[in-house]
Amino acid sequence: MTCNEYQDRLAECLGQPELPADLAAHVSDCTDCASVWEELKQIGGHLGSDSAFYPEPHEAELVAQVVEREIRAAEHGAKVIRPHWWTRVAQVAAAAVVIVGAVTVTWKFTHQPGTGGDTATSSQFADTSQFSAQDDTEELSSDVIRLLLYDVSTTDNFRASEVLLNDISDEEAAYLRTSLKAGDLL
Amino acid sequence: MESRPDPTLEPLVLAAKAGDQKAFGEIVRKLMNPVMALTYRMTGDRDVASDLAQETFVTAWEELSHFRGQSSVKSWVWRIAANRSLNYLESLSRRRTHELTNISEDIAAPGNIHRELEQDELRRGVLAFMSTLPPQQRLVFELRFYQQMSFEEISQAMDRALGTVKTLYREAIGKLRAHAKQSGWRS
């Protein structure tokens, strides 16, 4: 067997714990092949182990739960919508829409320009020009925010996401995926 | 892989085959990490990897009655995950939309920032290398290097000739050596 053939076999052994006896014997006698094997071992060290690519525990658990839901649903003849990445994006978008809407409505109910009171009348709602002069960073109560986030993040409630997804093309979805961050919306 | 069966899985498989969803849930949790690692290395994208892992386990549940135990349940699930990944890559290359930039964006995503830099660098390097391999070659490399399968097992799993599988692996190693040189791995 030539050194080229031995080196082909060495390449096949990358990642294996031990060399076959005949290869090991050749490597111990041949400096060229020993240097190739040394190089391959060094490269192997840069490839890491399987566990270096494990997901975070919560990611793995989330996927496991989705699988269990799908199986339960299949047993009952129902189809579950899988939370693909675009569903998650849509959920965030839906959360943003709901929160922005709620902030606006809450703001309208709690601000009366000129009077400083806590109640609002229908005539004051009609005067939208007043809003532009106001600070738009008013905060919702933490309870309201928590309820809204819970509603849109609960995995069994995809109605808002479905409505949004009906209007999203593949190109738009690709754009959202590469450019949208939750922080941009929330 | 065949030589290291997990004895705790076998009773769970029997129970799951009898319709025990809880037992199947345990199998899913035992195999989820390595399956997601496989689909991640094959695709270079965490979200796609999650979707493929979901599909893998749902298919496993649906096909469980056909599982005859001739191989370990692990290698059976691996085979489903590998085929799913391969189908995904082949449909992707048909659409010609897969770009290396997707990988670096995924690695640098805010959710991953807390991971230690060294591991990120390692993963980035591996995924960058794997993305240069054609789908079949990538799968052979994955099964041989990370799943420690023998060439005979790979040949069986992929339904390809033994010689073809070995050639694919050697070619992948040739590319790996070039990539390592370019990336300064050989210090």
Side-chain angles (χ1 to χ4, degrees):
Chain A
M1 193 179 278
T2 66
C3 278
N4 276 348
E5 287 168 328
Y6 274 118
Q7 287 170 18
D8 275 352
R9 286 186 59 203
L10 286 174
E12 291 171 8
C13 291
L14 173 67
Q16 302 305 302
E18 283 178 9
L19 287 178
D22 64 320
L23 261 182
H26 177 75
V27 164
S28 66
D29 289 342
C30 172
T31 51
D32 278 356
C33 291
S35 126
V36 168
W37 181 234
E38 204 47 48
E39 176 202 330
L40 286 169
K41 281 198 292 188
Q42 262 189 29
I43 292 173
H46 285 272
L47 295 171
S49 62
D50 191 41
S51 60
F53 295 84
Y54 282 3
E56 294 290 331
H58 70 273
E59 289 176 66
E61 179 56 27
L62 181 68
V63 178
Q65 286 176 13
V66 172
V67 170
E68 287 177 328
R69 269 204 309 278
E70 290 223 16
I71 289 169
R72 274 200 302 274
E75 294 299 298
H76 291 96
K79 174 73 181 163
V80 166
I81 298 170
R82 294 179 190 171
H84 288 286
W85 65 265
W86 40 263
T87 310
R88 292 191 280 273
V89 168
Q91 283 181 300
V92 173
V97 169
V98 172
I99 289 171
V100 167
V103 167
T104 306
V105 170
T106 307
W107 191 92
K108 285 181 179 180
F109 272 107
T110 55
H111 287 73
Q112 289 192 65
T115 64
D118 288 330
T119 56
T121 65
S122 57
S123 62
Q124 283 162 340
F125 288 154
D127 186 4
T128 54
S129 65
Q130 292 167 348
F131 295 132
S132 60
Q134 299 296 319
D135 179 4
D136 64 358
T137 59
E138 283 290 325
E139 290 182 358
L140 283 173
S141 79
S142 58
D143 283 349
V144 173
I145 290 174
R146 199 168 61 244
L147 282 172
L148 288 168
L149 286 175
Y150 175 79
D151 183 48
V152 297
S153 64
T154 182
T155 48
D156 294 328
N157 185 0
F158 289 142
R159 289 189 182 283
S161 309
E162 282 182 74
V163 171
L164 279 169
L165 287 172
N166 287 338
D167 293 321
I168 289 181
S169 69
D170 288 345
E171 288 76 12
E172 287 166 338
Y175 172 77
L176 283 175
R177 187 185 186 195
T178 54
S179 61
L180 196 64
K181 302 280 183 294
D184 296 339
L185 291 165
L186 298 175
Chain B
M1 191 169 59
E2 300 284 358
S3 57
R4 287 176 282 121
D6 181 346
T8 64
L9 282 174
E10 302 314 319
L12 293 172
V13 172
L14 286 176
K17 282 183 88 166
D20 185 342
Q21 292 181 12
K22 213 170 169 182
F24 188 74
E26 281 188 55
I27 296 173
V28 168
R29 282 177 176 79
K30 277 177 181 283
L31 299 183
M32 183 59 78
N33 276 338
V35 165
M36 281 184 76
L38 182 154
T39 54
Y40 183 37
R41 280 189 301 267
M42 286 294 289
T43 63
D45 185 314
R46 275 274 183 225
D47 291 327
V48 173
S50 297
D51 287 346
L52 291 174
Q54 276 174 44
E55 291 173 12
T56 296
F57 286 111
V58 171
T59 303
W61 171 256
E62 288 166 353
E63 300 291 322
L64 198 57
S65 60
H66 303 301
F67 174 64
R68 305 207 183 286
Q70 286 164 333
S71 60
S72 75
V73 71
K74 258 189 193 176
S75 64
W76 182 65
V77 170
W78 258 242
R79 196 176 299 188
I80 298 172
N83 282 330
R84 288 270 166 185
S85 303
L86 197 58
N87 290 344
Y88 170 81
L89 289 175
E90 286 177 344
S91 71
L92 206 59
S93 53
R94 279 197 292 276
R95 294 203 305 265
R96 297 176 184 224
T97 54
H98 191 227
E99 292 172 1
L100 187 57
T101 49
N102 289 345
I103 289 165
S104 48
E105 281 167 10
D106 181 64
I107 289 287
N112 295 332
I113 282 173
H114 65 284
R115 294 180 189 176
E116 54 182 311
L117 286 173
E118 202 176 310
Q119 286 289 299
D120 272 354
E121 198 179 326
L122 181 146
R123 281 191 288 264
R124 191 178 292 115
V126 171
L127 296 178
F129 160 66
M130 289 193 74
S131 74
T132 65
L133 302 178
Q136 298 271 344
Q137 209 169 58
R138 198 182 305 187
L139 182 56
V140 170
F141 182 79
E142 165 67 30
L143 296 178
R144 176 70 177 169
F145 186 81
Y146 288 105
Q147 309 303 330
Q148 297 279 299
M149 286 172 78
S150 70
F151 286 116
E152 288 76 11
E153 287 167 346
I154 299 171
S155 158
Q156 234 180 359
M158 292 179 68
D159 199 21
R160 302 291 296 265
L162 184 62
T164 307
V165 167
K166 285 187 175 182
T167 303
L168 284 170
Y169 191 70
R170 279 202 300 269
E171 285 171 359
I173 300 302
K175 290 176 186 174
L176 177 64
R177 290 173 76 181
H179 180 86
K181 195 173 183 182
Q182 203 178 12
S183 310
W185 285 3
R186 291 154 60 182
S187 49

